[in-house]
Amino acid sequence: MSIRVGSGHDSHRLKAGRPLILGGVRIPHDRGLDGHSDADVVLHALTDAILGALAQGDIGDLFPDTDPRNKDADSVLFLNAALTRLTESGYALGNIDVTIFAQEPKLGAAKATIRASLAMLTNVPVDAVSVKAKTGEKVGHIGRAEAIACHATILIHKRDEGTA
Ligand code: MG
């Protein structure tokens, strides 16, 4: 069976006056992530994981932050562009495993909502989507709640070969 793995990482600074959007879900918080687009670290990490598995560059190659069209862009657009490339390459997503690093807000209650959102956005069954959350143990830029980061790992397989 033809399978590949991909990994992606992203981080953005927390800033007052911005909405906090993680995995396409608006999370209630007094600050949000700063960036050229909507700064959804989860979708950015997932998009890079897909591009990584395909060996087709990274999100910055496809959507440069110097392009005004990407200003405040909904990161679902970036994910969909990677999913289109995936389909055009004859692959399908097998599973998604995501870890979000956030000291604040606590994401325990939001994990299930983010998981359902990722399943919906990718058309992967929810039982093949994992969303985990870690704090920064109050150390470093994550632990001081200055930023939120995300790591995504995925498996893709040739579409006609099914999942294991
Ligand atoms: Mg990003």
Side-chain angles (χ1 to χ4, degrees):
M1 177 158 123
S2 184
I3 59 171
R4 292 178 169 210
V5 295
S7 74
H9 182 271
D10 194 31
S11 62
H12 283 268
R13 216 188 319 249
L14 279 160
K15 184 184 177 186
R18 291 272 299 180
L20 178 59
I21 301 167
L22 296 174
V25 178
R26 176 82 182 256
I27 310 287
H29 192 43
D30 60 351
R31 291 179 294 161
L33 293 174
D34 194 22
H36 190 67
S37 67
D38 67 8
D40 186 332
V41 285
V42 178
L43 294 193
H44 292 188
L46 179 57
T47 298
D48 259 356
I50 295 166
L51 294 174
L54 294 172
Q56 290 191 18
D58 62 33
I59 193 170
D61 294 333
L62 269 63
F63 300 101
D65 62 8
T66 50
D67 187 336
R69 283 177 301 178
N70 301 326
K71 178 96 178 81
D72 295 323
D74 182 342
S75 295
V76 171
L77 297 174
F78 305 160
L79 175 64
N80 284 342
L83 289 170
T84 297
R85 283 169 172 246
L86 183 78
T87 303
E88 287 173 354
S89 301
Y91 281 94
L93 266 171
N95 72 299
I96 297 169
D97 186 16
V98 155
T99 305
I100 305 169
F101 302 85
Q103 190 70 41
E104 298 171 1
K106 290 283 178 283
L107 294 173
K111 283 189 295 185
T113 311
I114 295 170
R115 183 187 186 205
S117 175
L118 293 182
M120 188 267 293
L121 291 170
T122 58
N123 205 27
V124 170
V126 75
D127 66 359
V129 177
S130 160
V131 175
K132 312 188 297 296
K134 311 284 286 182
T135 70
E137 295 290 337
K138 299 189 175 173
V139 176
H141 63 294
I142 300 291
R144 291 189 299 270
E146 294 168 1
I148 290 177
C150 181
H151 187 82
T153 304
I154 60 160
L155 180 141
I156 64 173
H157 58 86
K158 278 290 184 183
R159 218 171 30 249
D160 53 343
E161 292 170 336
T163 47

